[in-house]
Amino acid sequence: MKQEFPKGEINLIKGRILAIKGDDIDTDRIIPARFLKCVSFSALGEQVFADDRKELKGKHPFDLDQHKGSNILVVNDNFGCGSSREHAPQALMRWGIRLIIGESFAEIFFGNCLALGIPCMTASKQEISKLQNLVNEDSNQIWNFNLKELSISNQKESFRLNLERGAYKMLYSGKWDATSQLLDEEEKINITVKNLPYLNNFK
Amino acid sequence: MSSGTLYDKVWNFHQVKELPGGSTQLFVGLHLIHEVTSPQAFSALNEKNLEVKFPNLTIATVDHIVPTLNQQRPFSDPLAEEMLATLEKNCKTHGIKFHGIGSNSQGVVHVMAPELGLTQPGMTVACGDSHTSTHGAFGAIAFGIGTSQVRDVLASQSLAMKKLKVRRIWVDGSLQKGVYAKDLILHIIRLLGVKGGVGFAYEFAGPAIEKLSMEGRMTICNMAIEGGARCGYINPDETTFEYLKGKEYSPKGQKWDKAIKWWKSLASDSEAKFDDEIRLDGSSIEPTVTWGITPGQGISIKEKIPNPEELPKNEQQIAKDACKYMNLEADQPIEGTSIDVCFIGSCTNGRLSDLQEASKIVKGRKVSAGIRAFVVPGSQKVAKEAKQKGIDQIFLMAGFEWREPGCSMCLAMNPDKLEGRQISASSSNRNFKGRQGSANGRTLLMSPAMVAAAAINGKVTDVRTLLQE
Ligand code: SF4
């Protein structure tokens, strides 16, 4: 099955939630280093959380039948810390994740997700644990994420989410694909170059 | 908001324009690439039909996947061979200078670039590797980026970035004998936490920092990221200029004098404003060792493993996890903990002075029975210089293995791995679960001299008891 990856404006995401509990889950855990040995990202989806999954022998949320096809991930504090490897968000995206909600995110991880069109939304500790409990009780509920309203809700509950302004604008306008913006005004790059002493014999 | 700091000045020089999302398009003066995070960036470039905009500002080497025993091509691991071959091909296609195996200048990217004089004060340095913060030791703004940013930098020599806040970490006094830059940075991360630096650039300053060699300064900045700070830097001074003088890529002749003038002007002003400042006394720091699963879980060699119940609430859970994973008991001294493997190397502590300090501990002694100990120089240049000084022989005679340069067991993407529950004394920078190649292997981070001491005694040892002249 060919997956559709995020493109264009990101506003509404609909789907089911799965939760991974624990603070400081680093990118080595999301995708262990031995899987970085690849020249393309395509196989990473199956390898996400490989070691944790092995340890839990099929009981890891990413292995449970009830979470097959879930596309929203709820996590706790400082998710994605550690190495800058973009393989981590790539692996999550290729497994099927399109939105992550957590107490906080490591900066590089946050940026790497943004560059793939995956919003990393934050909520308070209490809200996160409430959300996690709701999912524990019933993982079949369908949730509606609305970026513009900064919320995620199902038929009964609604949660406020936060996202810093810059990232919000980029996702909402569909301008999270940085490359094209950077090449927009090439002349300005050349001006910067001309004014850098170390590229001009320190004149 | 900070003003008048080196960070502000260098940032201003490299600003291209403001982007709609509120971030800045920042020009990258030096782009370093290696085999792990670049192949996907090059394919994305090809898909978009884009060229490398400034091929002369990107420099490549190979480090993460290289075997350290037999570097004969093709590598015995076909995947590793494929990654290297892909990098070679990409460099060739796009006209990028590649420092490969056998070039005499290959090495861990954060070791080889400074020693070639590629990293200079006032530059912005980016690399698809979080320990790029290392290069801040020269008074550069240096930070790790992800693969899609590698693509951006290849395509435009710039990237979208938010300006960070600046925290000055002022270290008074001077480090005691047997206490090294590694101990200082482990101590700082312990104090401020692994998240303490999120959103900040760290300026390391003060007498204890100024007294450090460039290699010590690189160790400090290397691990800024482990404290959550995406970049760490130190103002350039005579030590910096002395180090750079005569290096292959350093400015020469008249350019050198002009360069020094510019570099000096970049240091933070005496009345610079910082977003935050902290102060500590370097003289009171003792050799420091991590006992847990984050670099913030460090204690001095004289301390006991903390009781999770007695820690601040937000540290309790991870401390409990750590005790369990490490199989270490709360309230036990860290000193005397038995170890299995000793690793001296990495971009944190694989430089000449690191090997030199460690060799002083090892000299005339033997690695304790049953311990596997090995040294992996950070680069071919380090290896060569160490050999010229007979350092390799000191290690070999003591029973260490002496390997070829690479990242090796820092992250174990090559054949060098922990096995099963083995516990290592390691001079690298990360002690995360499974980091050193075994899903349940264990890592104790410490200075290279402390690793050497651990190898000799077969257990965690206060290096000060083994100092010899
Ligand atoms: S030595 Fe370790 S931390 Fe440094 S670049 Fe290599 S893998 Fe990364």
Side-chain angles (χ1 to χ4, degrees), chain B residues 180 339 341-345 354-363 365-368 371 373-375 394-395 398 400 425-427 446-463 466-468:
Chain B
Y180 306 89
I339 47 137
V341 176
C342 289
F343 170 63
I344 297 179
D354 298 317
L355 308 193
Q356 230 161 358
E357 289 303 320
S359 74
K360 287 186 197 159
I361 307 299
V362 165
K363 194 167 186 176
R365 295 181 169 130
K366 287 273 179 234
V367 170
S368 175
I371 303 288
F374 62 116
V375 181
I394 298 177
F395 280 111
F400 274 81
S426 179
S427 74
M446 57 189 84
S447 73
M450 284 282 285
V451 176
I456 301 302
N457 284 348
K459 55 192 182 197
V460 176
T461 299
D462 187 340
V463 65
L466 293 182
L467 287 176
Q468 47 187 4

Side-chain angles (χ1 to χ4, degrees), chain B residues 63-64 108-110 129 131 222 346-348 406-407 410-411 428-429 435:
Chain B
D63 50 9
H64 285 66
V108 180
V109 61
H110 312 308
D129 187 283
H131 293 96
N222 173 277
S346 87
C347 60
T348 313
C407 292
C410 175
L411 94 167
S428 54
N429 45 50
R435 169 76 176 184

Side-chain angles (χ1 to χ4, degrees), chain B residues 362-433:
Chain B
V362 165
K363 194 167 186 176
R365 295 181 169 130
K366 287 273 179 234
V367 170
S368 175
I371 303 288
R372 186 175 149 224
F374 62 116
V375 181
V376 183
S379 71
Q380 292 180 348
K381 275 201 192 335
V382 171
K384 193 169 147 204
E385 282 172 40
K387 279 185 189 159
Q388 280 165 355
K389 293 185 188 294
I391 292 175
D392 60 329
Q393 290 307 318
I394 298 177
F395 280 111
L396 286 166
M397 267 154 50
F400 274 81
E401 293 174 55
W402 180 267
R403 298 291 189 81
E404 300 292 336
C407 292
S408 179
M409 208 195 268
C410 175
L411 94 167
M413 272 182 86
N414 75 343
D416 309 331
K417 295 179 199 307
L418 291 181
E419 286 163 25
R421 287 291 278 155
Q422 278 184 333
I423 185 163
S424 77
S426 179
S427 74
S428 54
N429 45 50
R430 283 186 174 154
N431 52 348
F432 301 148
K433 291 180 180 175

Side-chain angles (χ1 to χ4, degrees), chain A residues 28 36-37 39 77-78 82-84 86 107 112 115 164 166 177-179 181-182 185-186 196-198 201, chain B residues 14 17 20-21 25 29 48 53 77 82-83 130 146-148 151-152 162 164 195 199 255 262 413 430:
Chain A
D28 279 87
L36 307 193
K37 269 198 207 163
V39 289
D77 197 32
N78 198 28
S83 127
S84 64
E86 196 170 327
E107 211 171 308
N112 285 341
E164 52 142 307
D177 165 24
T179 323
Q181 286 183 54
L182 296 173
E185 294 170 83
E186 291 199 68
L196 272 174
Y198 63 88
N201 296 322
Chain B
H14 293 83
K17 66 170 195 247
Q25 178 171 2
K48 293 187 179 220
K53 193 166 166 68
D77 173 355
E82 187 191 357
M83 293 179 85
S130 45
T147 297
S148 52
R151 174 202 63 202
D152 292 348
K162 280 246 160 67
L164 298 166
K195 289 176 278 185
K255 272 205 283 181
W262 185 59
M413 272 182 86
R430 283 186 174 154

Side-chain angles (χ1 to χ4, degrees), chain B residues 256-275:
Chain B
W256 172 256
D257 298 327
K258 288 189 200 156
I260 294 216
K261 211 168 147 216
W262 185 59
W263 292 343
K264 282 187 175 161
S265 75
L266 296 170
S268 294
D269 302 336
S270 50
E271 66 273 26
K273 275 212 200 69
F274 297 90
D275 298 284

Side-chain angles (χ1 to χ4, degrees), chain A residues 67-97:
Chain A
H67 290 313
K68 274 225 175 79
S70 297
N71 56 355
I72 302 168
L73 178 63
V74 174
V75 297
N76 293 99
D77 197 32
N78 198 28
F79 187 77
C81 57
S83 127
S84 64
R85 64 186 67 153
E86 196 170 327
H87 303 64
Q90 280 280 354
L92 290 167
M93 179 178 83
R94 281 163 204 272
W95 189 87
I97 299 301

